[in-house]
Amino acid sequence: MPAHEQSTLSIDQRNALETAASRLATDFHGVFGVETIDRFLTSSYDQFAGRATIPNYLPLLAERFARQRLHALAKVEGKTHDGRPVVLFLCVHNAGRSQMALGFLQHHAGDSVVGWSGGSHPGDAIEPGAVAVMAERGIDIAREFPKPWTDEIVRAADVVITMGCGDACPIFPGTRYEEWDLADPATLALDSVRSVRDEIERRVLHLLDSLGVEAA
């Protein structure tokens, strides 16, 4: 991370980012150079720095997002790909619908599918109602954090599911797109959020079937 940006960080944050950079360099050894990894880690940190409510978590969030972006870039550039389908869920705030969909995808597909999510205008935290109704199904999305999408993430996806982001959702040739018309949980009472949750699960299971992935 450049020196002028490091000067605004605490010692703990600098140490955590240096450790994150080392882990990423190990994970992507032979795929990307140190400069690319540092650039992605820095830009990922910047995505969260202006809106994170708990600054100490910033390096962890940045590392997780940078790792996802680097995996996406490696697939786009043909450097690595394990053959698993990649599904991307997009909504406006990445705080409710797309997070629930990702939770169900990971729950039912396990490691058979790569799942990501993002928002056109990421919120500050996951919607409490979405967290609550997913917990009723034994799925914990409370540790997730709203994040944007990036060009390499969308390009790497085999299937992009959009949920109300309209013209803001990027369109790339050769990618399968589906629009899921679902109410925003942020505006609903808890019983209505449960109905949205159940509809999302139904659609995720149908999606997995269309991909030839057996649901657990």
Side-chain angles (χ1 to χ4, degrees):
M1 182 169 288
H4 74 279
E5 295 180 7
Q6 285 200 24
S7 64
T8 65
L9 306 178
S10 70
I11 293 176
D12 287 343
Q13 287 175 320
R14 286 200 299 271
N15 289 340
L17 283 170
E18 289 173 2
T19 300
S22 295
R23 281 195 292 261
L24 291 170
T26 298
D27 292 347
F28 290 93
H29 178 70
V31 180
F32 295 116
V34 172
E35 295 81 4
T36 298
I37 290 170
D38 285 347
R39 175 165 54 86
F40 271 63
L41 183 60
T42 298
S43 59
S44 295
Y45 182 92
D46 290 343
Q47 293 279 4
F48 297 109
R51 55 190 175 84
T53 55
I54 306 177
N56 287 342
Y57 287 166
L58 278 171
L60 175 61
L61 293 172
E63 180 182 356
R64 287 171 59 186
F65 192 41
R67 178 174 282 105
Q68 177 178 311
R69 293 175 61 200
L70 288 165
H71 277 301
L73 182 62
K75 181 175 184 284
V76 170
E77 294 185 349
K79 294 181 176 180
T80 61
H81 182 44
D82 56 15
R84 293 180 296 168
V86 177
V87 178
L88 175 63
F89 297 101
L90 300 180
C91 66
V92 178
H93 301 301
N94 191 218
R97 292 164 291 185
S98 54
Q99 294 285 0
M100 288 194 286
L102 179 60
F104 276 126
L105 184 85
Q106 294 172 335
H107 176 74
H108 287 299
D111 294 332
S112 299
V113 177
V114 177
W116 297 328
S117 69
S120 54
H121 296 90
D124 293 328
I126 305 299
E127 290 291 339
V131 173
V133 300
M134 292 299 284
E136 293 173 355
R137 300 296 304 276
I139 300 172
D140 182 12
I141 63 171
R143 298 179 185 178
E144 297 299 326
F145 195 86
K147 52 194 171 298
W149 63 66
T150 61
D151 182 81
E152 67 276 351
I153 286 176
V154 181
R155 287 182 179 276
D158 299 299
V159 183
V160 176
I161 307 296
T162 61
M163 306 181 202
C165 50
D167 293 340
C169 291
I171 303 295
F172 292 111
T175 301
R176 171 183 164 188
Y177 286 86
E178 291 185 17
E179 169 66 24
W180 291 2
D181 186 11
L182 299 162
D184 186 349
T187 65
L188 303 176
L190 202 59
D191 280 345
S192 296
V193 179
R194 291 188 180 99
S195 296
V196 173
R197 174 201 64 192
D198 294 344
E199 177 61 16
I200 288 174
E201 182 177 28
R202 184 190 71 79
R203 295 190 186 207
V204 166
L205 289 171
H206 183 269
L207 172 65
L208 291 176
D209 183 64
S210 75
L211 293 173
V213 176
E214 185 176 353

